Amino acid sequence: MDIAERSKKYVQYHMDTTFSPTFTEKIMINGLWHEAGGEIRYEALVEEQDGSQSSYLFPIFDPESDEFDDYAG
């Protein structure tokens, strides 16, 4: 599986499970990938009901791992 498809499945998995029900109840404003200290992470910015914004830092992404390849959501 190519890295683009693998990363989409990783993000979808964590939106559906790790941070449930955050991404079904709130509006995601932005998402970005970044690397710090050799660790690749996805960060999502969501809008809260009061109009404020919160940031959710996803677990470390391993582009070599096939852990989420079969995730169907």
Side-chain angles (χ1 to χ4, degrees):
M1 176 174 291
D2 70 21
I3 189 75
E5 189 62 28
R6 179 167 282 166
S7 63
K8 288 177 189 176
K9 288 185 176 277
Y10 158 89
V11 169
Q12 188 63 52
Y13 172 84
H14 287 294
M15 284 181 164
D16 293 346
T17 61
T18 306
F19 298 108
S20 179
T22 299
F23 292 97
T24 55
E25 296 177 350
K26 300 176 184 178
I27 297 171
M28 187 168 127
I29 299 169
N30 199 4
L32 57 103
W33 289 96
H34 54 88
E35 182 178 355
E39 298 175 339
I40 302 168
R41 291 182 181 256
Y42 185 78
E43 185 173 6
L45 185 63
V46 298
E47 185 174 315
E48 301 291 341
Q49 291 180 358
D50 65 1
S52 65
Q53 297 177 354
S54 294
S55 175
Y56 289 84
L57 187 61
F58 286 45
I60 298 167
F61 174 64
D62 178 2
E64 300 299 318
S65 172
D66 63 358
E67 180 179 359
F68 307 107
D69 287 3
D70 294 329
Y71 183 69

